[in-house]
Amino acid sequence: MTKDGKQAAMLLDRSDVRVKHESGVSDAVRAFFDRVKSGDLGSLPVVAGLIIIWTVFASLNPIFLSSNNLVNLLFDASTVGVISLGIVCVLMVGEIDLSVGSISGFASALVGTLWVNQGWPIALAIVAAVAVGGLFGCLYALLFNRLGMPSFISTLAGLLAVLGMQLYVLGATGSINLPYGSAIVDFGQLLVMPRPVSYTLAVIPGIVLLVSGLRTITHRRAAHLSAPSVSGIVFRAVVMTTALELVVFYLNQGRGIPWMFGLFVGLVVAMSYALTRTRWGRSMTAVGGNREAARRAGINVRFIYMSAFVLCSMFAAFGGVLSAARLASASQQAGTGDVNLNAIAAAVIGGTSLFGGRGNAYSALLGIIVIQSIANGLTLLDLSSSLRYMITGAVLAIAVIVDSLARRSRVSHGRA
């Protein structure tokens, strides 16, 4: 081919790239359906399930979608949601932690003992409780890395041992009441964002989406690669901002958005960034997908497992602290019952794979809202807790089935 012919071919290729740049929203929609067909469902199943659940409960009891009830739902979802965020970490590497409920209960008991009984500053008591939670994670990681003990067994043993430690710390009284009017109790029960703050925070995700999208377009065009259209990025940013502002406006008709839920969302965003934008996060995905391949690629597999278990236990401990703030007490019942079930189920229902290597921090957010919606709706209908367990179990089973089928589809399409 002559020199002029090569230049013409390059210009033709670049014109094709420009056509892709200017394709607009229709190509984005087409790409979305292509991903769904290939098994990359993302958050679609849980969002669809949440719409169905809210529609059913709202038709049975209009109070369900009232602003004040949704505010209470967000308060209640935040405590177990933080614990579920830690479960996402261990599921990402294909492991499990069955002791998160006991660790959360022990952390709440430790805070009550150190703060109320021993007179420690509340901040120091919280740091101590979270640090002790991290020590449990270190122990699980050592048993897994050094002795090869399955995480199912080590954390099951930890569940029983830590529960015994919780009972020992609480002593004969069995409970410790946290002072009403204290900052931590107000944070767990009363404090909501000022309206200007909530409206301002609702704008930030759209701005971040717009800036990051435009930056991606600039970099890809500079490299003469296909890139999303500017109109598509702007459209998604506008839709996201409008939706969030409407949600904030509706919740502000009641008490407003809880600061505790804002803290939970902040942790989700931070973990999402760590899992998707850092070398550590990519290593987590690699280890969960194929441990041996990750080791051969030079990843410190033992460190990744250690970090996953430690983060899970620390989130569990911090969730226990928030639960104590929500209930204004630390008792023998803290962390027991369905805390383990809800924390693990939330991560799986939200989209984190039980097979490892797939998931994101937003799984905890979406999943716990689904579970808390079921609990809240059945409570408003004055139905027994037995139905809540059965419905939650059914939703969990459906989520695992969808994940398994999506995994097969990804394998058949070469996207696993």
Side-chain angles (χ1 to χ4, degrees), residues 29-45:
V29 174
R30 189 179 303 112
F32 169 77
F33 283 108
D34 288 341
R35 289 196 301 270
V36 171
K37 289 179 181 178
S38 65
D40 189 4
L41 301 179
S43 301
L44 181 61

Side-chain angles (χ1 to χ4, degrees), residues 337-390:
D338 57 0
V339 174
N340 269 342
L341 163 70
N342 288 342
I344 297 173
V348 177
I349 290 172
T352 300
S353 176
L354 285 170
F355 303 101
R358 292 186 68 86
N360 58 73
Y362 291 99
S363 300
L365 176 61
L366 294 173
I368 196 59
I369 289 179
V370 169
I371 289 178
Q372 198 58 48
S373 295
I374 295 173
N376 184 279
L378 293 177
T379 300
L380 289 177
L381 294 175
D382 197 23
L383 298 176
S384 66
S385 59
S386 60
L387 284 175
R388 175 163 60 89
Y389 286 115
M390 289 187 284

Side-chain angles (χ1 to χ4, degrees), residues 212-282:
S212 62
L214 294 177
R215 182 178 300 173
T216 299
I217 291 174
T218 301
H219 290 166
R220 292 185 66 85
R221 286 183 176 178
H224 305 297
L225 298 173
S226 61
S229 65
V230 175
S231 60
I233 296 295
V234 173
F235 175 76
R236 288 197 293 270
V238 170
V239 169
M240 175 183 288
T241 302
T242 303
L244 291 176
E245 290 290 349
L246 288 175
V247 170
V248 170
F249 172 78
Y250 185 70
L251 292 176
N252 280 334
Q253 303 307 302
R255 294 169 58 189
I257 300 177
W259 272 114
M260 187 160 68
F261 183 73
L263 173 62
F264 171 41
V265 173
L267 292 173
V268 169
V269 172
M271 280 303 302
S272 177
Y273 179 86
L275 289 172
T276 58
R277 301 289 184 175
T278 66
R279 182 178 180 181
W280 171 80
R282 291 189 291 270

Side-chain angles (χ1 to χ4, degrees), residues 52 92 97 127 170 209 217 220 281 291 299 305 334 352 402:
I52 294 173
M92 283 288 292
D97 188 341
V127 170
L170 290 173
L209 175 62
I217 291 174
R220 292 185 66 85
R291 175 180 178 175
I299 295 175
Y305 280 117
T352 300
V402 170

Side-chain angles (χ1 to χ4, degrees), residues 127-200:
V127 170
V130 174
V132 170
L135 292 178
F136 289 122
C138 285
L139 177 60
Y140 297 148
L142 288 174
L143 292 174
F144 181 83
N145 287 329
R146 299 295 181 181
L147 303 179
M149 180 181 290
S151 59
F152 183 91
I153 301 301
S154 61
T155 58
L156 181 60
L159 181 154
L160 300 174
V162 178
L163 178 59
M165 295 172 66
Q166 176 185 349
L167 299 179
Y168 177 80
V169 167
L170 290 173
T173 59
S175 65
I176 299 174
N177 293 325
L178 305 186
Y180 280 100
S182 59
I184 187 172
V185 173
D186 286 345
F187 181 79
Q189 296 183 348
L190 300 174
L191 293 184
V192 295
M193 299 180 186
R195 294 189 177 186
V197 173
S198 61
Y199 285 121
T200 302

